Amino acid sequence: MPSSSKRSANEKSTSSPPHKRRRSSSSNSYTAANSDAEESPLNVFLLDAKMKPETIEELLSIIDNFRNVDENLSLKEKSGSSERELHLCPNMKDADVVITVVHMRKRLERHVDWSIARRKAIVTPQWLRDSADSGHLLPCGKYAALGDLYQETVQNCPDGDSSQTHPDSNSNSESHDQESESFVPPVPKNGTDIRHNHRYACMRYSPLTCPNQILVEKIAILRRSRELEGLDMQALSYERAISVLKAFPCPITSDNIHEISELPHIGNKIYSKIQEFVQHGDISECKSILCETRYQSLVDLTTVYGIGPATARKLYSSGLRTIKDLERHYEVSPKTSDDIADSLNPEHFRGTGPTTGLPQLSIKVGLALREEFSLHITRNEVEEIHDVVMNELANIRSGCVSTITGGYRRGKDKSNDIDIVISHKDLKSGGGQVKGLCAELVKRLYDKGLVTHVMHLSSFREHNALRTSHWDSLEKALTVFKLPDQQKKHQHVHRRLDLVFAAPEVYWTAVVGWTGSRMFERDLKLALSVLSNHGSEA
Ligand code: OXD
Ligand code: MN
Ligand code: MN
């Protein structure tokens, strides 16, 4: 349909003067936001370019009938969204929201000036459909029609829920993962160049669940198969591609797939897999990998803590295929974990000797506790374990400070283990205060029956010539921890607890370094080294 006939569809509605939208800056300001919202209808412009006539009819009818009528919405939910009628707006300039199937800047610029487009929320038709279904205006980020205008679309969205879009109103403002179902990344602070097509993961948002989640999970199978076979460079390429796809703000379809080829780290091979997925809803190579018995075995073997891909391949070539095979081989069953004696080697507590690993032992512990380790840990339990650990530490040394890192710090609701970075508040003498403290704490926790096994313990003295000096100022213990069972009814399970001690001057570096994700850390180091090279050239 030519755009003129659609323009006439937009002209059907009476034009309302553009209103000044007020966003609630905190959940307490709902009254003001709500009364404002009640007065002003929302101006919607349908950009007809490339839109099918039946889609136009459908959208017009939704706009005509739209009214926020969900009686069950809480006051807070109603604050920015309910009681708002939609008006079809005759021109894009006065619109609050633009609905379009156009995904490219060049094409959009045929219809509107870029400077105007940047002041709008520009979304796909699905935003209107889903908003109508849910009875209120939804956040726009997930529906942004143009990757280039993603941030502007989030900022200008009329959903009214500023808590989802402003990092400062969110208790997890530091996290770069979001646990929400929909992809609504926070708006970066002024001057921060965070965008979905940035080449570094540390400059892109990375939601835990993204608009292309199924595709991402398929590509993760390809990545995993390469990793299990020791093809590390290939695995890394897939990991980079996954990280980029996770940041893509809207579902990939045949209409916008060309945008994907322009993203960083998407080569021809991965692009053809994405094409296959868009056309057929699956990737044939994934199907065949999942059927391979070797892949299945390696996946199973690596579910044991202490068994990585290289060990799994060795075990596989010695004929071990399943967890049952391993249990027979190591003479371990899930019931024997507490009997694995000597799992705390007193050598480790001297802090002077070599930090010999105990691979046999850690595989035995990992095997015996495999099922318990596979149970996710809630944020409450993470916090409880952190409190217990820090209370014990306070009995040995006062003035220590700590941060829970890992998935918890990235905002995950459920973690696989607990990661705590510890230091001392005294910047001058703190380095000396934390030296040797890791082993002391682990010993105390063990004596109290809180730490049941130590998988690895390393001290400041461990020197690795390949590493930069600040890593030598970390002490680390990988342990197994169990909260005491208060009543018979509530039995706690064994958890993996990683403790990292850092000198005060490297405390925040250690916190960032132990927060993850892997790709974030990798690219952060890369971006920093590029920056410092630029600096030294200047
Ligand atoms: C975890 C993590 O889940 O660190 O423990 O990601
Ligand atoms: Mn972790
Ligand atoms: Mn960990």
Side-chain angles (χ1 to χ4, degrees):
M1 181 182 276
S3 66
S4 56
S5 62
K6 181 73 55 39
R7 214 173 299 124
S8 67
N10 278 297
E11 280 158 10
K12 267 194 231 161
S13 125
T14 43
S15 150
S16 325
H19 61 275
K20 203 167 184 316
R21 213 171 36 252
R22 197 187 314 158
R23 293 177 67 98
S24 141
S25 60
S26 83
S27 55
N28 295 334
S29 53
Y30 67 79
T31 323
N34 198 29
S35 57
D36 194 17
E38 274 174 36
E39 282 160 17
S40 51
L42 187 82
N43 288 323
V44 179
F45 181 80
L46 289 191
L47 179 64
D48 67 340
K50 296 209 138 236
M51 209 182 261
K52 290 186 186 139
E54 56 272 27
T55 307
I56 297 166
E57 285 310 314
E58 179 206 353
L59 298 179
L60 288 175
S61 123
I62 297 178
I63 292 171
D64 271 353
N65 297 321
F66 189 93
R67 189 163 171 88
N68 248 313
V69 286
D70 191 340
E71 298 288 300
N72 298 322
L73 287 179
S74 68
L75 262 183
K76 181 172 180 278
E77 283 170 312
K78 282 182 175 186
S79 67
S81 59
S82 75
E83 309 303 333
R84 212 150 173 198
E85 278 182 60
L86 302 189
H87 272 188
L88 197 61
C89 185
N91 60 65
M92 205 184 303
K93 204 163 118 290
D94 295 335
D96 299 302
V97 176
V98 175
I99 299 181
T100 180
V101 292
V102 167
H103 295 293
M104 281 171 74
R105 175 175 176 165
K106 270 193 193 136
R107 188 154 275 151
L108 188 82
E109 280 181 318
R110 288 183 202 158
H111 306 274
V112 66
D113 200 77
W114 192 244
S115 61
I116 295 176
R118 294 189 61 188
R119 298 204 297 269
K120 313 290 168 194
I122 304 192
V123 292
T124 61
Q126 203 55 39
W127 173 80
L128 190 58
R129 294 185 188 111
D130 289 354
S131 291
D133 284 350
S134 62
H136 59 282
L137 302 174
L138 293 172
C140 298
K142 184 177 161 188
Y143 304 92
L146 281 89
D148 284 349
L149 288 178
Y150 173 74
Q151 282 160 22
E152 289 81 356
T153 295
V154 170
Q155 264 161 335
N156 297 320
C157 183
D159 65 301
D161 187 357
S162 55
S163 66
Q164 292 208 42
T165 55
H166 287 277
D168 293 344
S169 60
N170 183 331
S171 63
N172 277 322
S173 60
E174 288 172 301
S175 68
H176 40 268
D177 274 352
Q178 298 217 332
E179 189 72 49
S180 63
E181 277 305 305
S182 57
F183 180 19
V184 189
V187 173
K189 294 195 169 81
N190 281 351
T192 321
D193 181 24
I194 292 183
R195 54 188 154 85
H196 79 275
N197 56 357
H198 204 290
R199 65 175 290 100
Y200 298 125
C202 54
M203 301 300 285
R204 303 188 293 259
Y205 288 111
S206 178
L208 293 181
T209 310
C210 69
N212 295 290
Q213 192 62 24
I214 302 174
L215 169 64
V216 160
E217 280 161 21
K218 299 275 175 201
I219 298 174
I221 296 170
L222 305 178
R223 187 199 70 78
R224 185 92 174 104
S225 72
R226 304 317 192 261
E227 178 185 61
L228 288 169
E229 294 301 350
L231 303 168
D232 293 342
M233 292 316 288
Q234 291 185 25
L236 182 61
S237 297
Y238 281 119
E239 195 169 347
R240 285 202 182 290
I242 289 171
S243 170
V244 167
L245 291 172
K246 285 195 104 179
F248 194 68
C250 50
I252 302 169
T253 63
S254 46
D255 289 333
N256 63 5
I257 190 164
H258 52 271
E259 287 180 40
I260 302 299
S261 63
E262 283 153 30
L263 294 176
H265 309 301
I266 303 286
N268 290 342
K269 195 163 164 203
I270 183 88
Y271 184 71
S272 69
K273 305 278 179 206
I274 300 170
Q275 261 179 329
E276 187 187 345
F277 180 83
V278 168
Q279 275 164 19
H280 307 292
D282 209 340
I283 298 173
S284 56
E285 194 191 342
C286 293
K287 280 201 232 164
S288 42
I289 288 173
L290 290 175
C291 294
E292 285 167 15
T293 51
R294 179 176 163 92
Y295 175 82
Q296 289 164 3
S297 283
L298 293 178
V299 166
D300 274 359
L301 299 179
T302 49
T303 59
V304 176
Y305 179 47
I307 300 186
T311 310
R313 289 197 299 276
K314 271 190 211 141
L315 294 168
Y316 187 92
S317 34
S318 65
L320 301 170
R321 300 282 185 273
T322 63
I323 297 297
K324 285 266 161 293
D325 291 346
L326 285 185
E327 286 175 354
R328 267 192 300 272
H329 180 78
Y330 287 104
E331 297 176 334
V332 167
S333 81
K335 291 189 196 71
T336 56
S337 70
D338 290 340
D339 308 333
I340 298 171
D342 198 28
S343 54
L344 272 168
N345 184 340
E347 269 296 297
H348 286 158
F349 292 112
R350 295 201 185 123
T352 51
T355 54
T356 45
L358 299 169
Q360 280 293 93
L361 188 63
S362 64
I363 288 180
K364 280 187 165 197
V365 175
L367 195 52
L369 294 173
R370 195 181 75 100
E371 281 175 20
E372 291 188 32
F373 286 166
S374 72
L375 300 172
H376 285 140
I377 317 169
T378 62
R379 294 182 75 81
N380 279 347
E381 191 178 338
V382 171
E383 285 157 18
E384 196 180 340
I385 291 176
H386 167 256
D387 290 349
V388 170
V389 169
M390 292 312 290
N391 281 339
E392 292 302 328
L393 182 61
N395 287 308
I396 312 176
R397 185 83 18 102
S398 59
C400 286
V401 289
S402 65
T403 301
I404 307 173
T405 56
Y408 176 93
R409 188 159 182 267
R410 300 202 308 276
K412 277 168 83 172
D413 276 346
K414 295 196 169 109
S415 296
N416 298 312
D417 70 350
I418 301 116
D419 305 288
I420 305 176
V421 174
I422 300 170
S423 188
H424 198 275
K425 65 179 182 200
D426 186 338
L427 201 57
K428 271 198 190 140
S429 71
Q433 304 255 21
V434 292
K435 207 162 200 167
L437 200 50
C438 184
E440 251 186 273
L441 174 65
V442 173
K443 174 95 174 77
R444 182 181 175 95
L445 295 172
Y446 178 68
D447 289 344
K448 296 218 149 191
L450 294 163
V451 158
T452 58
H453 306 84
V454 178
M455 316 299 262
H456 176 84
L457 190 86
S458 63
S459 72
F460 282 149
R461 280 155 223 248
E462 184 180 83
H463 184 72
N464 181 342
L466 294 175
R467 292 190 174 166
T468 53
S469 58
H470 76 259
W471 293 111
D472 295 327
S473 50
L474 296 181
E475 286 186 339
K476 183 171 81 178
L478 311 185
T479 72
V480 180
F481 184 98
K482 191 165 172 290
L483 281 167
D485 295 324
Q486 308 291 12
Q487 303 137 347
K488 282 250 154 58
K489 272 192 287 176
H490 187 69
Q491 300 267 307
H492 287 290
V493 297
H494 291 85
R495 303 300 197 182
R496 290 192 290 116
L497 167 69
D498 295 346
L499 299 169
V500 177
F501 281 75
E505 61 272 24
V506 294
Y507 178 44
W508 285 108
T509 330
V511 167
V512 173
W514 279 78
T515 296
S517 63
R518 252 186 342 185
M519 194 45 76
F520 182 93
E521 301 292 346
R522 196 187 282 271
D523 279 1
L524 187 62
K525 280 182 206 151
L526 211 61
L528 288 174
S529 72
V530 169
L531 265 182
S532 60
N533 284 344
H534 277 301
S536 59
E537 278 162 20

